[in-house]
Amino acid sequence: MYSLAVSDHFMIAHSFRGEIFGPAQQLHGATYNVELDFRRPTLDQNGLVCDIGLALQVLREVLGEFNYKNLDELPQFKGRNTTTELLAGEIFTRVKARVAEGAVGPGTAGELASLRVVLRESPVAWASFEGTLR
């Protein structure tokens, strides 16, 4: 399986509900490093997995929906703990929709097999979500 990865980062504020979160129950900030890893079994006629510039643009657009925002105030997260795991899945869903629209290159949507989203919240802790794109 071939893969192409792009990365960027975003900064948010949020809080969690539940004793398990200890001091993180209070409003706090986080800076996430994000990696998208696009995969497909064969390369296209140009020898590519997908257009790297378009992949980075899609990632930046998706992260722009969260960057510098308090996630507690966004309607789509009302009543939910915006854990690193949950955010990885949310980014996956949004990128997958853009891939289906052809945002990472013409004809690419039907050829990409899967996508892995990795959110690194620190040098020693991260979460990911992986799924098919077909």
Side-chain angles (χ1 to χ4, degrees), residues 10 16 25 30 38 67 69 72 76 82 100 111 116 118 127:
F10 69 110
F16 297 125
Q25 292 176 81
F38 296 91
N67 201 25
K69 296 197 173 135
D72 297 346
Q76 65 264 38
T82 50
E111 299 301 322
R116 181 172 188 232
V118 179

mmCIF file with all atom_site columns, all heavy atoms in Angstrom, residues 10 16 25 30 38 67 69 72 76 82 100 111 116 118 127:
data_model
loop_
_atom_site.group_PDB
_atom_site.id
_atom_site.type_symbol
_atom_site.label_atom_id
_atom_site.label_alt_id
_atom_site.label_comp_id
_atom_site.label_asym_id
_atom_site.label_entity_id
_atom_site.label_seq_id
_atom_site.pdbx_PDB_ins_code
_atom_site.Cartn_x
_atom_site.Cartn_y
_atom_site.Cartn_z
_atom_site.occupancy
_atom_site.B_iso_or_equiv
_atom_site.pdbx_formal_charge
_atom_site.auth_seq_id
_atom_site.auth_comp_id
_atom_site.auth_asym_id
_atom_site.auth_atom_id
_atom_site.pdbx_PDB_model_num
ATOM 1   N N   . PHE A 1 10  ? -3.186  22.920 14.897 1.00 0.00 ? 10  PHE A N   1
ATOM 2   C CA  . PHE A 1 10  ? -4.232  23.872 15.241 1.00 0.00 ? 10  PHE A CA  1
ATOM 3   C C   . PHE A 1 10  ? -4.299  24.018 16.751 1.00 0.00 ? 10  PHE A C   1
ATOM 4   O O   . PHE A 1 10  ? -3.840  23.157 17.495 1.00 0.00 ? 10  PHE A O   1
ATOM 5   C CB  . PHE A 1 10  ? -5.591  23.491 14.631 1.00 0.00 ? 10  PHE A CB  1
ATOM 6   C CG  . PHE A 1 10  ? -6.245  22.261 15.202 1.00 0.00 ? 10  PHE A CG  1
ATOM 7   C CD1 . PHE A 1 10  ? -7.381  22.370 15.988 1.00 0.00 ? 10  PHE A CD1 1
ATOM 8   C CD2 . PHE A 1 10  ? -5.763  20.996 14.932 1.00 0.00 ? 10  PHE A CD2 1
ATOM 9   C CE1 . PHE A 1 10  ? -8.011  21.243 16.499 1.00 0.00 ? 10  PHE A CE1 1
ATOM 10  C CE2 . PHE A 1 10  ? -6.382  19.863 15.426 1.00 0.00 ? 10  PHE A CE2 1
ATOM 11  C CZ  . PHE A 1 10  ? -7.506  19.993 16.223 1.00 0.00 ? 10  PHE A CZ  1
ATOM 12  N N   . PHE A 1 16  ? -13.538 19.454 29.820 1.00 0.00 ? 16  PHE A N   1
ATOM 13  C CA  . PHE A 1 16  ? -14.150 18.134 29.833 1.00 0.00 ? 16  PHE A CA  1
ATOM 14  C C   . PHE A 1 16  ? -15.082 17.992 31.027 1.00 0.00 ? 16  PHE A C   1
ATOM 15  O O   . PHE A 1 16  ? -14.913 18.644 32.050 1.00 0.00 ? 16  PHE A O   1
ATOM 16  C CB  . PHE A 1 16  ? -13.084 17.036 29.925 1.00 0.00 ? 16  PHE A CB  1
ATOM 17  C CG  . PHE A 1 16  ? -12.160 16.983 28.747 1.00 0.00 ? 16  PHE A CG  1
ATOM 18  C CD1 . PHE A 1 16  ? -10.793 17.051 28.927 1.00 0.00 ? 16  PHE A CD1 1
ATOM 19  C CD2 . PHE A 1 16  ? -12.650 16.859 27.465 1.00 0.00 ? 16  PHE A CD2 1
ATOM 20  C CE1 . PHE A 1 16  ? -9.928  16.980 27.850 1.00 0.00 ? 16  PHE A CE1 1
ATOM 21  C CE2 . PHE A 1 16  ? -11.794 16.800 26.374 1.00 0.00 ? 16  PHE A CE2 1
ATOM 22  C CZ  . PHE A 1 16  ? -10.427 16.855 26.564 1.00 0.00 ? 16  PHE A CZ  1
ATOM 23  N N   . GLN A 1 25  ? -11.051 19.328 33.600 1.00 0.00 ? 25  GLN A N   1
ATOM 24  C CA  . GLN A 1 25  ? -12.464 19.698 33.617 1.00 0.00 ? 25  GLN A CA  1
ATOM 25  C C   . GLN A 1 25  ? -12.622 21.213 33.499 1.00 0.00 ? 25  GLN A C   1
ATOM 26  O O   . GLN A 1 25  ? -13.682 21.698 33.113 1.00 0.00 ? 25  GLN A O   1
ATOM 27  C CB  . GLN A 1 25  ? -13.136 19.206 34.906 1.00 0.00 ? 25  GLN A CB  1
ATOM 28  C CG  . GLN A 1 25  ? -13.235 17.696 34.989 1.00 0.00 ? 25  GLN A CG  1
ATOM 29  C CD  . GLN A 1 25  ? -13.812 17.247 36.301 1.00 0.00 ? 25  GLN A CD  1
ATOM 30  O OE1 . GLN A 1 25  ? -15.027 17.268 36.480 1.00 0.00 ? 25  GLN A OE1 1
ATOM 31  N NE2 . GLN A 1 25  ? -12.947 16.858 37.235 1.00 0.00 ? 25  GLN A NE2 1
ATOM 32  N N   . ALA A 1 30  ? -5.115  23.662 24.048 1.00 0.00 ? 30  ALA A N   1
ATOM 33  C CA  . ALA A 1 30  ? -4.332  22.556 23.498 1.00 0.00 ? 30  ALA A CA  1
ATOM 34  C C   . ALA A 1 30  ? -3.875  22.932 22.096 1.00 0.00 ? 30  ALA A C   1
ATOM 35  O O   . ALA A 1 30  ? -4.590  23.620 21.368 1.00 0.00 ? 30  ALA A O   1
ATOM 36  C CB  . ALA A 1 30  ? -5.166  21.279 23.442 1.00 0.00 ? 30  ALA A CB  1
ATOM 37  N N   . PHE A 1 38  ? -2.861  9.391  3.491  1.00 0.00 ? 38  PHE A N   1
ATOM 38  C CA  . PHE A 1 38  ? -3.710  8.847  2.426  1.00 0.00 ? 38  PHE A CA  1
ATOM 39  C C   . PHE A 1 38  ? -3.050  7.592  1.880  1.00 0.00 ? 38  PHE A C   1
ATOM 40  O O   . PHE A 1 38  ? -1.839  7.575  1.651  1.00 0.00 ? 38  PHE A O   1
ATOM 41  C CB  . PHE A 1 38  ? -3.849  9.860  1.284  1.00 0.00 ? 38  PHE A CB  1
ATOM 42  C CG  . PHE A 1 38  ? -4.539  11.131 1.670  1.00 0.00 ? 38  PHE A CG  1
ATOM 43  C CD1 . PHE A 1 38  ? -3.826  12.224 2.141  1.00 0.00 ? 38  PHE A CD1 1
ATOM 44  C CD2 . PHE A 1 38  ? -5.920  11.240 1.556  1.00 0.00 ? 38  PHE A CD2 1
ATOM 45  C CE1 . PHE A 1 38  ? -4.462  13.398 2.489  1.00 0.00 ? 38  PHE A CE1 1
ATOM 46  C CE2 . PHE A 1 38  ? -6.565  12.412 1.897  1.00 0.00 ? 38  PHE A CE2 1
ATOM 47  C CZ  . PHE A 1 38  ? -5.835  13.494 2.373  1.00 0.00 ? 38  PHE A CZ  1
ATOM 48  N N   . ASN A 1 67  ? -9.583  26.014 14.512 1.00 0.00 ? 67  ASN A N   1
ATOM 49  C CA  . ASN A 1 67  ? -8.430  26.771 14.984 1.00 0.00 ? 67  ASN A CA  1
ATOM 50  C C   . ASN A 1 67  ? -8.836  28.032 15.746 1.00 0.00 ? 67  ASN A C   1
ATOM 51  O O   . ASN A 1 67  ? -9.684  28.794 15.287 1.00 0.00 ? 67  ASN A O   1
ATOM 52  C CB  . ASN A 1 67  ? -7.533  27.136 13.797 1.00 0.00 ? 67  ASN A CB  1
ATOM 53  C CG  . ASN A 1 67  ? -6.120  27.454 14.207 1.00 0.00 ? 67  ASN A CG  1
ATOM 54  O OD1 . ASN A 1 67  ? -5.629  27.001 15.233 1.00 0.00 ? 67  ASN A OD1 1
ATOM 55  N ND2 . ASN A 1 67  ? -5.444  28.243 13.390 1.00 0.00 ? 67  ASN A ND2 1
ATOM 56  N N   . LYS A 1 69  ? -10.569 28.356 18.374 1.00 0.00 ? 69  LYS A N   1
ATOM 57  C CA  . LYS A 1 69  ? -11.950 28.361 18.856 1.00 0.00 ? 69  LYS A CA  1
ATOM 58  C C   . LYS A 1 69  ? -12.053 27.609 20.167 1.00 0.00 ? 69  LYS A C   1
ATOM 59  O O   . LYS A 1 69  ? -11.269 26.708 20.450 1.00 0.00 ? 69  LYS A O   1
ATOM 60  C CB  . LYS A 1 69  ? -12.874 27.734 17.819 1.00 0.00 ? 69  LYS A CB  1
ATOM 61  C CG  . LYS A 1 69  ? -12.908 28.565 16.543 1.00 0.00 ? 69  LYS A CG  1
ATOM 62  C CD  . LYS A 1 69  ? -14.063 28.231 15.671 1.00 0.00 ? 69  LYS A CD  1
ATOM 63  C CE  . LYS A 1 69  ? -14.073 29.227 14.530 1.00 0.00 ? 69  LYS A CE  1
ATOM 64  N NZ  . LYS A 1 69  ? -14.278 28.637 13.273 1.00 0.00 ? 69  LYS A NZ  1
ATOM 65  N N   . ASP A 1 72  ? -16.057 24.102 23.282 1.00 0.00 ? 72  ASP A N   1
ATOM 66  C CA  . ASP A 1 72  ? -17.245 24.024 24.140 1.00 0.00 ? 72  ASP A CA  1
ATOM 67  C C   . ASP A 1 72  ? -18.389 24.877 23.590 1.00 0.00 ? 72  ASP A C   1
ATOM 68  O O   . ASP A 1 72  ? -19.552 24.639 23.902 1.00 0.00 ? 72  ASP A O   1
ATOM 69  C CB  . ASP A 1 72  ? -16.930 24.499 25.561 1.00 0.00 ? 72  ASP A CB  1
ATOM 70  C CG  . ASP A 1 72  ? -15.901 23.629 26.271 1.00 0.00 ? 72  ASP A CG  1
ATOM 71  O OD1 . ASP A 1 72  ? -15.619 22.515 25.798 1.00 0.00 ? 72  ASP A OD1 1
ATOM 72  O OD2 . ASP A 1 72  ? -15.384 24.085 27.304 1.00 0.00 ? 72  ASP A OD2 1
ATOM 73  N N   . GLN A 1 76  ? -21.819 21.628 17.183 1.00 0.00 ? 76  GLN A N   1
ATOM 74  C CA  . GLN A 1 76  ? -21.606 20.213 16.848 1.00 0.00 ? 76  GLN A CA  1
ATOM 75  C C   . GLN A 1 76  ? -20.965 19.422 17.992 1.00 0.00 ? 76  GLN A C   1
ATOM 76  O O   . GLN A 1 76  ? -20.984 18.193 17.976 1.00 0.00 ? 76  GLN A O   1
ATOM 77  C CB  . GLN A 1 76  ? -20.783 20.053 15.560 1.00 0.00 ? 76  GLN A CB  1
ATOM 78  C CG  . GLN A 1 76  ? -19.364 20.567 15.635 1.00 0.00 ? 76  GLN A CG  1
ATOM 79  C CD  . GLN A 1 76  ? -19.216 21.978 15.097 1.00 0.00 ? 76  GLN A CD  1
ATOM 80  O OE1 . GLN A 1 76  ? -20.066 22.829 15.292 1.00 0.00 ? 76  GLN A OE1 1
ATOM 81  N NE2 . GLN A 1 76  ? -18.120 22.224 14.415 1.00 0.00 ? 76  GLN A NE2 1
ATOM 82  N N   . THR A 1 82  ? -14.633 16.752 23.926 1.00 0.00 ? 82  THR A N   1
ATOM 83  C CA  . THR A 1 82  ? -13.831 16.838 22.702 1.00 0.00 ? 82  THR A CA  1
ATOM 84  C C   . THR A 1 82  ? -12.427 16.293 22.960 1.00 0.00 ? 82  THR A C   1
ATOM 85  O O   . THR A 1 82  ? -11.425 17.015 22.893 1.00 0.00 ? 82  THR A O   1
ATOM 86  C CB  . THR A 1 82  ? -13.786 18.287 22.188 1.00 0.00 ? 82  THR A CB  1
ATOM 87  O OG1 . THR A 1 82  ? -13.415 19.163 23.261 1.00 0.00 ? 82  THR A OG1 1
ATOM 88  C CG2 . THR A 1 82  ? -15.124 18.703 21.624 1.00 0.00 ? 82  THR A CG2 1
ATOM 89  N N   . ALA A 1 100 ? -14.311 12.787 -1.297 1.00 0.00 ? 100 ALA A N   1
ATOM 90  C CA  . ALA A 1 100 ? -15.410 12.320 -2.146 1.00 0.00 ? 100 ALA A CA  1
ATOM 91  C C   . ALA A 1 100 ? -15.819 13.378 -3.161 1.00 0.00 ? 100 ALA A C   1
ATOM 92  O O   . ALA A 1 100 ? -16.286 13.048 -4.254 1.00 0.00 ? 100 ALA A O   1
ATOM 93  C CB  . ALA A 1 100 ? -16.616 11.921 -1.286 1.00 0.00 ? 100 ALA A CB  1
ATOM 94  N N   . GLU A 1 111 ? -9.972  6.000  -6.119 1.00 0.00 ? 111 GLU A N   1
ATOM 95  C CA  . GLU A 1 111 ? -8.744  5.208  -6.057 1.00 0.00 ? 111 GLU A CA  1
ATOM 96  C C   . GLU A 1 111 ? -8.139  5.129  -4.661 1.00 0.00 ? 111 GLU A C   1
ATOM 97  O O   . GLU A 1 111 ? -7.437  4.177  -4.343 1.00 0.00 ? 111 GLU A O   1
ATOM 98  C CB  . GLU A 1 111 ? -7.707  5.779  -7.028 1.00 0.00 ? 111 GLU A CB  1
ATOM 99  C CG  . GLU A 1 111 ? -8.156  5.765  -8.478 1.00 0.00 ? 111 GLU A CG  1
ATOM 100 C CD  . GLU A 1 111 ? -8.474  4.356  -8.975 1.00 0.00 ? 111 GLU A CD  1
ATOM 101 O OE1 . GLU A 1 111 ? -7.763  3.405  -8.607 1.00 0.00 ? 111 GLU A OE1 1
ATOM 102 O OE2 . GLU A 1 111 ? -9.441  4.220  -9.739 1.00 0.00 ? 111 GLU A OE2 1
ATOM 103 N N   . ARG A 1 116 ? -5.739  7.728  7.366  1.00 0.00 ? 116 ARG A N   1
ATOM 104 C CA  . ARG A 1 116 ? -5.448  7.686  8.801  1.00 0.00 ? 116 ARG A CA  1
ATOM 105 C C   . ARG A 1 116 ? -5.195  9.110  9.262  1.00 0.00 ? 116 ARG A C   1
ATOM 106 O O   . ARG A 1 116 ? -4.410  9.836  8.656  1.00 0.00 ? 116 ARG A O   1
ATOM 107 C CB  . ARG A 1 116 ? -4.228  6.826  9.098  1.00 0.00 ? 116 ARG A CB  1
ATOM 108 C CG  . ARG A 1 116 ? -3.925  6.736  10.585 1.00 0.00 ? 116 ARG A CG  1
ATOM 109 C CD  . ARG A 1 116 ? -2.819  5.715  10.847 1.00 0.00 ? 116 ARG A CD  1
ATOM 110 N NE  . ARG A 1 116 ? -2.691  5.505  12.282 1.00 0.00 ? 116 ARG A NE  1
ATOM 111 C CZ  . ARG A 1 116 ? -1.544  5.601  12.940 1.00 0.00 ? 116 ARG A CZ  1
ATOM 112 N NH1 . ARG A 1 116 ? -0.425  5.867  12.301 1.00 0.00 ? 116 ARG A NH1 1
ATOM 113 N NH2 . ARG A 1 116 ? -1.506  5.402  14.235 1.00 0.00 ? 116 ARG A NH2 1
ATOM 114 N N   . VAL A 1 118 ? -3.920  11.265 12.524 1.00 0.00 ? 118 VAL A N   1
ATOM 115 C CA  . VAL A 1 118 ? -3.221  11.182 13.803 1.00 0.00 ? 118 VAL A CA  1
ATOM 116 C C   . VAL A 1 118 ? -3.191  12.576 14.421 1.00 0.00 ? 118 VAL A C   1
ATOM 117 O O   . VAL A 1 118 ? -2.774  13.526 13.769 1.00 0.00 ? 118 VAL A O   1
ATOM 118 C CB  . VAL A 1 118 ? -1.772  10.664 13.634 1.00 0.00 ? 118 VAL A CB  1
ATOM 119 C CG1 . VAL A 1 118 ? -1.048  10.619 14.979 1.00 0.00 ? 118 VAL A CG1 1
ATOM 120 C CG2 . VAL A 1 118 ? -1.753  9.308  12.960 1.00 0.00 ? 118 VAL A CG2 1
ATOM 121 N N   . ALA A 1 127 ? -3.520  10.208 19.504 1.00 0.00 ? 127 ALA A N   1
ATOM 122 C CA  . ALA A 1 127 ? -4.645  9.331  19.172 1.00 0.00 ? 127 ALA A CA  1
ATOM 123 C C   . ALA A 1 127 ? -4.821  9.357  17.660 1.00 0.00 ? 127 ALA A C   1
ATOM 124 O O   . ALA A 1 127 ? -4.352  10.277 16.982 1.00 0.00 ? 127 ALA A O   1
ATOM 125 C CB  . ALA A 1 127 ? -5.923  9.798  19.867 1.00 0.00 ? 127 ALA A CB  1
#
